[in-house]
């Protein structure tokens, strides 16, 4: 009987199954592609759900669910959709699904509106044609919609998942636990904090640029365990190495290291909205509204020490909020605040806090490279300037709802740039908060009318030179007003078995379709 | 005079005859002394964040070429002096251990005493709860209590309440042994003449339990208590190792071992080895003392 089964299995699968076993510290937050703007979640979603456009290996735009597009006017685009594409449940992909997904991703309880920002309306012309009506000219439209993923309308309606889950309220829907996309891999199962299993979608319209048929992603929070899993051969690929182990792993013969930096900036955000900080000893006013206090926080951080000791050289100390590789970055504006604890203390005294004050720093402990350790170092660095900081570190899955509920006074976050353009960061983090894409992760509720105006201009300016000048100035104002405490741009080597080859992704989204496992 | 009578007491006699116990006692005294006097003896205050210097993190022990004289056992990933942190950490570990034992002793003894004395349904109820709890490992129960407390308490109060919660968690996980032992002895004692006599004179059940039964059942409880201190310290270390114990800015021995564990591969062995040795020494010596006390108090072995 067993032999028979084996023969059957061999007949059924003429191509040998090739599995890519991949580990990193962070789990996904949901299976709903429209719910959470979180790189690891997007990294998994792109296997299963597709957008109208997608990135090539070099981050150029290529057709995906749309085969071609034309610009009828500045604010009017027409997309021809790919024909014969089927969702994993067998239903055909049509213009209705695009219109439906547009309505869905815009819902305020999600955090992905940024990917359709600037689009006023999506109109169905026929079964395989849609038109986008824009609010203004949109130089980055094709890049922006890469992560606008299409969900089947009929499937969502059948399973009462027309609405995005309310993540803050920890709501679960059918679509947050099940998937039905058009992508190259089908999610067979997600066991939170344990594994996600993908199998190849045999009916996929595209062609793999590799040989991987199954992907198993395992989130392993503990650094030592993750490295052990790689060394023992339990996993093939680790995309966030503990910085302290990189040098040793380079010498390991059965492994190879792929170096690269992620387009992600790690920073501390501060509540600059409430009249009294929720978690601080100062009553009756909000010290973070005072530029001198924010400057003092910036000056008291020894970014070089964090780079040298905690990151073992694997970081680029940051002065601005975008990383090298993002359009708008240049070395001359990325000037790092000089480490000056005495100056910080003095400034704090001038601001009226000669004895400093106490506040709580919220920090994830399984999201960014060395996140909790960096927060601990910040506590001691800030202590020298007079701040008495209480550290509240927690798992990212608990951290994000807290942050979304604005239940924080100071928090660590890392911002990766999905569109590779600085506007994405400014619009999400600096623009005055709205329920939509604008200020979607401006959890400190910074509000600067001048910057708001500049960001509005950035969205619609098509003259590259003019736009670049605005972008530069906006980044400089953000830096000089110390709206954030930028720490560093993250560098992130990947380690894999010798037999694995994969393309390094700047946006921290390894693509199994580009991977080969021998 | 008192000293002399103590010296000639049975316990002291058996103590003098056992070199292992003397060594264990000496080590315990050193550990406890170092822990108690940590704020005055330790070269650095590892809990004062302003004293930490990230640039001096990962310094190896002083005898290593790259070691720094002011950090005899090296520093951890935040620039904390390992020696000072061990001393302060042991203080937390011991404090939590002792408090947890005191708590579970009080809880276990009272429940056992009442169960044994009253008997009937109350006895059955308590003992069934005890049976159920015994079928779980203590660490699981402690994890459960700790986890529930974490969810129930407001986020910014975690750090302040971490230690009391830990004490309660470990305490709740350990009361069964006391309750069982005390219940057994109580059931024997309550049939004896002196208890019956007390009942006849009309003393209240509470007074009988406390004044007459309790002193006669305390012997074994003290032995269990001593051994339980070692277990409680280990449980605290395990919880902290798992990252659910004391906050990372106030490391106990278990936290230190966990921190160091991440750097074992990269060769910074001292962060985990020294706290590990300290933990082993502390637990082993307390355990040996407990063993000795058990033997010394056991009339059958005399």
């Amino acid at each position: 009987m067993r032999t028979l089964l084996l023969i059957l299995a061999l007949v059924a699968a003429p191509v040998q199954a090739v599995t890519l076993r991949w580990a990193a510290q962070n789990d996904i937050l949901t299976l709903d592609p429209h719910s959470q703007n979180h790189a690891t979640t997007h990294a998994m979603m792109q296997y299963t759900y597709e957008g109208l456009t997608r990135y090539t290996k070099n981050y150029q735009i290529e057709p995906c669910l749309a085969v071609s597009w034309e610009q009828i006017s500045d604010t009017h685009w027409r997309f021809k959709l790919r024909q014969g594409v089927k969702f994993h449940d067998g239903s055909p992909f049509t213009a209705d699904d695009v219109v439906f997904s547009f309505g869905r991703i815009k819902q305020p309880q999600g955090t992905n509106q940024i990917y359709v920002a600037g689009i006023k309306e999506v109109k169905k012309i026929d079964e395989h044609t849609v038109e986008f009506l824009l609010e203004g000219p949109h130089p980055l439209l094709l890049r922006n919609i890469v992560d606008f993923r299409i969900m089947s309308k009929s499937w969502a309606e059948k399973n009462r998942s027309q609405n995005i889950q309310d993540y803050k309220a920890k709501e679960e829907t059918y679509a947050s636990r099940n998937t039905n996309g058009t992508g190259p891999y089908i999610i067979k199962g997600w066991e939170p904090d344990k594994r996600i299993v993908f199998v190849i979608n045999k009916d996929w319209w595209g062609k793999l640029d590799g040989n991987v048929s199954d992907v198993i992603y395992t989130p392993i929070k503990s650094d030592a365990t993750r490295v052990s899993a790689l060394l023992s051969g339990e996993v093939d690929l680790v995309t966030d190495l503990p910085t302290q182990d990189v040098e040793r792993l380079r010498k390991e013969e059965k492994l190879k290291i792929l170096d690269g930096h992620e387009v992600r900036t790690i920073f501390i955000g501060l509540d600059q909205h409430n009249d009294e900080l929720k978690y601080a000893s100062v009553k009756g006013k909000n010290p973070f509204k005072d530029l001198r206090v924010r400057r003092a926080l910036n000056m008291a951080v020894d970014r070089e020490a964090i780079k040298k000791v905690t990151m073992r050289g694997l970081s680029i100390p940051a002065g601005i909020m975008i990383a090298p590789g993002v359009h708008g970055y240049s070395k001359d504006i990325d000037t790092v605040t000089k480490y000056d604890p005495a100056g910080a203390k003095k400034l704090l005294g001038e601001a009226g806090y000669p004895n400093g004050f106490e506040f709580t720093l919220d920090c994830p402990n399984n999201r960014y490279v060395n996140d909790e350790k960096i927060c601990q170092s910040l506590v001691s660095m800030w202590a020298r300037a007079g701040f008495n900081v209480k550290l509240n570190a927690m798992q990212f899955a608990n951290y994000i709802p807290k942050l979304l509920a604005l239940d924080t006074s100071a928090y660590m976050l890392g911002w990766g740039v999905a569109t590779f353009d600085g506007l994405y960061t400014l619009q999400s983090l600096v623009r005055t908060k709205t329920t939509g894409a604008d200020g979607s992760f401006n959890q400190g509720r910074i509000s600067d009318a001048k910057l708001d105006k500049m960001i509005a201009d950035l969205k619609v300016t098509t003259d590259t030179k003019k736009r670049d000048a605005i972008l530069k100035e906006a980044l400089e104002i953000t830096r000089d007003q110390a709206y954030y405490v930028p720490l560093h741009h993250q560098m992130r080597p990947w380690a894999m078995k010798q037999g694995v080859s994969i393309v390094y992704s700047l946006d921290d989204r390894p693509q199994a379709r580009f991977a080969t496992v021998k | 005079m008192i000293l002399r009578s103590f010296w000639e007491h049975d316990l002291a006699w058996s103590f003098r005859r056992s070199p292992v116990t003397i060594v264990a006692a000496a080590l315990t005294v050193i550990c406890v002394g170092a822990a108690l006097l940590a704020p005055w003896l330790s070269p650095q205050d590892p809990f004062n964040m302003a004293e930490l210097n990230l640039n001096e993190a990962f310094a190896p022990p002083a005898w290593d070429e790259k070691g720094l004289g002011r950090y005899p056992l090296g520093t951890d990933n935040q620039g904390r002096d390992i020696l000072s942190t061990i001393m302060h950490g042991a203080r937390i570990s011991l404090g939590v251990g002792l408090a947890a034992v005191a708590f579970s002793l009080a809880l276990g003894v009272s429940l056992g005493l009442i169960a044994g004395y009253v008997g009937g349904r109350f006895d059955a109820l308590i003992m069934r709860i005890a049976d159920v709890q015994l079928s779980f490992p203590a660490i699981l129960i402690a994890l459960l209590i700790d986890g529930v407390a974490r969810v129930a308490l407001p986020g910014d109060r975690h750090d302040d309440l971490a230690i009391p919660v830990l004490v309660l968690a470990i305490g709740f996980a350990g009361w069964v042994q006391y309750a069982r032992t005390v219940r057994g002895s109580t059931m024997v004692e309550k049939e004896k003449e002196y208890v019956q006599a007390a009942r006849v004179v009309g003393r209240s059940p509470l007074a009988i339990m406390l004044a007459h039964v309790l002193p006669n059942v305390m012997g074994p409880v003290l032995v269990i208590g001593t051994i339980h201190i070692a277990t409680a310290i280990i449980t605290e270390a395990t919880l902290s190792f798992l990252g659910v114990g004391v906050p990372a800015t106030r490391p106990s021995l278990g936290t230190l071992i966990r921190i160091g564990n991440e750097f074992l591969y990269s060769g910074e062995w001292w962060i985990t080895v020294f706290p590990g040795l300290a933990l082993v020494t502390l637990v082993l010596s307390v355990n040996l003392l407990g063993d000795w006390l058990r033997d010394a108090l056991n009339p059958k072995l005399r």
Side-chain angles (χ1 to χ4, degrees), chain A residues 32-199:
Chain A
D32 190 324
H34 299 148
S35 176
Q36 293 301 310
N37 192 7
H38 166 233
T40 309
T41 306
H42 276 302
M44 305 296 163
M45 286 303 111
Q46 70 179 357
Y47 287 60
T48 286
Y49 285 102
E50 293 175 303
L52 298 183
T53 57
R54 69 178 186 192
Y55 285 128
T56 63
K57 289 177 184 174
N58 307 321
Y59 293 97
Q60 298 305 307
I61 289 295
E62 68 178 1
C64 189
L65 287 180
V67 276
S68 65
W69 43 81
E70 59 180 316
Q71 219 174 330
I72 298 165
S73 79
D74 256 4
T75 57
H76 190 180
W77 291 58
R78 179 177 296 151
F79 292 84
K80 278 267 173 227
L81 303 183
R82 196 174 290 277
Q83 304 207 3
V85 174
K86 280 194 166 36
F87 284 99
H88 297 158
D89 67 351
S91 59
F93 157 69
T94 65
D96 288 325
D97 301 316
V98 181
V99 175
F100 166 74
S101 298
F102 175 70
R104 194 172 187 275
I105 197 173
K106 279 202 313 187
Q107 293 169 5
Q109 69 273 32
T111 58
N112 282 309
Q113 301 97 337
I114 182 117
Y115 299 112
V116 292
I119 305 172
K120 202 157 59 187
E121 197 189 339
V122 173
K123 273 202 315 205
K124 174 182 173 182
I125 302 301
D126 61 42
E127 283 300 295
H128 291 102
T129 314
V130 290
E131 284 184 2
F132 282 20
L133 300 178
L134 309 181
E135 283 157 9
H138 197 330
L140 294 170
L141 179 68
L142 295 175
R143 282 185 176 272
N144 226 27
I145 58 174
V146 168
D147 286 321
F148 163 38
R149 301 181 189 284
I150 308 300
M151 182 185 273
S152 159
K153 183 180 181 214
S154 59
W155 176 80
E157 281 170 355
K158 199 171 71 199
N159 296 303
R160 295 193 307 277
S161 294
Q162 297 98 316
N163 292 330
I164 306 180
Q165 66 184 139
D166 188 352
Y167 194 82
K168 265 197 304 243
K170 304 197 170 168
E171 185 195 13
E172 297 284 354
T173 63
Y174 189 79
S176 73
R177 289 283 159 174
N178 298 276
T179 56
N180 178 38
T182 55
Y185 296 92
I186 300 169
I187 295 185
K188 249 180 71 186
W190 170 39
E191 297 168 68
D193 283 335
K194 212 162 155 209
R195 70 167 71 86
I196 311 169
V197 180
F198 300 86
V199 294

Side-chain angles (χ1 to χ4, degrees), chain B residues 46-59:
Chain B
F47 299 160
N48 179 358
M49 298 308 282
E51 269 190 40
L52 308 187
N53 185 349
L54 190 59
N55 279 309
E56 289 178 353
F58 297 115

Side-chain angles (χ1 to χ4, degrees), chain B residues 23-53:
Chain B
V23 173
L27 283 175
T28 311
V29 168
I30 293 175
C31 288
V32 173
L36 282 182
L37 300 175
W40 299 277
L41 284 184
S42 71
Q44 187 198 46
D45 177 3
F47 299 160
N48 179 358
M49 298 308 282
E51 269 190 40
L52 308 187
N53 185 349

